[in-house]
Amino acid sequence: MAQHVEDLIGDAVYDLGGAKIGKVKRVYVDNASGAPTWASVSTGLFSEDSLVPLAGAQMRDDPTELQVRVHKEAVKTAPHLAHDGLITQDSENDLFVHYGVDPNRAGWEEYGRHAGTGTGRESRAGGPAGTTGTAAPEPTRPDMPTTRRPEFLVRSEERLNIGTRQEVSGHARLHKYVVSEEQTVTVPTSHEEVHIEREPITDTSALPADFGEQEQEVTLHQDRVTVDKEKVPVERVRLVVAQVEEDQTITETVRKERIEIEGMDRDDKLR
């Protein structure tokens, strides 16, 4: 078993099933308890370092091999360490959620306090982590500098990014079919009628006096209405797509962080 936290640097890290994850590059401790909490592990030549929880970790038979309580796949998908080597409170919370680690039991309790005092998390391999505190010097690794972390909090908030995307809203098509309707049209017509016309004869010698039974017949005519149908084009019909502009009101909930002073007798809050 490693006697000091810095002895873990360079140790091989294996997952819960015995698969090798990588090698330890840094160790982060909790300043409140002094227990190691996270190990920055190099998983490959071109890969970013991954943070692995040390809660429940054990040294293997080989004292240079460390076995952690998570699987390699979880390490591959874990949030990566920032390039400045710092672990912010938000980043640590994301790691707790990702690995399912209880924040109150995140330390490797087999180790005691191995560094100077502070108020945040410290790295034992060349850089601090967290939001406050300073890292203890590493005498055996002069190439890893000591850096003071800024003593401030960063407030963040969500902002809406509104945009539009075009999508299919429906289909329209023309369909032609036949209906029947009645039409009433007034057509002028004519017909012939017969009536008796009497004309007195003044010259009795001008016409013979045919006495007896006789008949005279005339042919009468009339207009008869005839109906015929023909198909004729009356109009062209087509679909035309028009762009219509309108305003839509969007309501969404966003979150923002608030920062307030604790431990002081004042009611005002700082945003």
Side-chain angles (χ1 to χ4, degrees):
M1 178 182 299
Q3 299 300 316
H4 301 281
V5 171
E6 50 269 22
D7 292 339
L8 294 173
I9 306 301
D11 285 358
V13 180
Y14 293 83
D15 74 349
L16 192 59
K20 185 176 181 179
I21 300 174
K23 290 188 176 182
V24 178
K25 291 183 63 177
R26 299 185 183 186
V27 178
Y28 295 83
V29 302
D30 190 314
N31 284 322
S33 64
T37 306
W38 303 100
S40 175
V41 179
S42 175
T43 57
L45 181 61
F46 299 104
S47 301
E48 295 182 357
D49 295 345
S50 299
L51 288 176
V52 179
L54 294 177
Q58 294 179 343
M59 300 304 299
R60 292 162 61 98
D61 293 339
D62 187 333
T64 63
E65 295 179 351
L66 176 68
Q67 187 165 21
V68 293
R69 304 293 295 175
V70 296
H71 290 283
K72 186 175 182 178
E73 291 302 319
V75 177
K76 288 182 178 180
T77 58
H80 287 289
L81 184 66
H83 294 295
D84 55 7
L86 301 178
I87 304 178
T88 65
Q89 188 61 53
D90 288 341
S91 299
E92 189 172 42
N93 291 336
D94 291 341
L95 289 167
F96 285 147
V97 173
H98 176 77
Y99 286 114
V101 175
D102 183 355
N104 297 322
R105 299 183 177 179
W108 189 7
E109 299 301 338
E110 293 186 19
Y111 286 88
R113 193 175 184 82
H114 298 288
T117 60
T119 58
R121 298 204 181 282
E122 297 174 352
S123 168
R124 289 296 177 267
T131 57
T132 59
T134 56
E138 175 54 61
T140 60
R141 297 180 179 270
D143 57 323
M144 298 182 180
T146 299
T147 307
R148 180 176 180 80
R149 290 163 292 182
E151 297 182 354
F152 58 82
L153 296 178
V154 176
R155 190 183 69 84
S156 303
E157 65 182 23
E158 295 177 335
R159 294 185 178 178
L160 293 180
N161 294 323
I162 304 298
T164 61
R165 71 171 184 273
Q166 196 170 65
E167 61 181 19
V168 176
S169 60
H171 299 276
R173 59 179 176 271
L174 289 176
H175 174 66
K176 185 175 74 170
Y177 58 96
V178 178
V179 297
S180 298
E181 64 178 10
E182 292 185 355
Q183 291 187 356
T184 301
V185 180
T186 300
V187 180
T189 61
S190 65
H191 66 278
E192 297 177 339
E193 294 182 351
V194 64
H195 63 274
I196 296 176
E197 182 180 287
R198 298 177 185 276
E199 181 183 354
I201 299 176
T202 58
D203 186 3
T204 58
S205 61
L207 293 174
D210 292 335
F211 189 78
E213 186 175 317
Q214 290 184 349
E215 292 183 353
Q216 185 182 7
E217 181 178 310
V218 295
T219 301
L220 302 177
H221 299 84
Q222 68 176 9
D223 292 336
R224 183 178 298 277
V225 177
T226 62
V227 178
D228 192 14
K229 300 177 183 178
E230 63 175 340
K231 299 179 179 66
V232 295
V234 292
E235 64 178 347
R236 291 189 180 95
V237 181
R238 62 178 178 269
L239 290 176
V240 177
V241 177
Q243 194 77 20
V244 179
E245 301 290 340
E246 64 179 356
D247 293 331
Q248 293 189 12
T249 302
I250 304 298
T251 302
E252 186 59 69
T253 301
V254 297
R255 299 176 301 169
K256 60 176 60 177
E257 297 173 339
R258 298 283 187 181
I259 299 176
E260 62 182 21
I261 296 177
E262 296 181 350
M264 296 181 63
D265 294 333
R266 56 182 297 184
D267 298 330
D268 54 317
K269 297 181 179 180
L270 302 178
R271 290 190 59 189

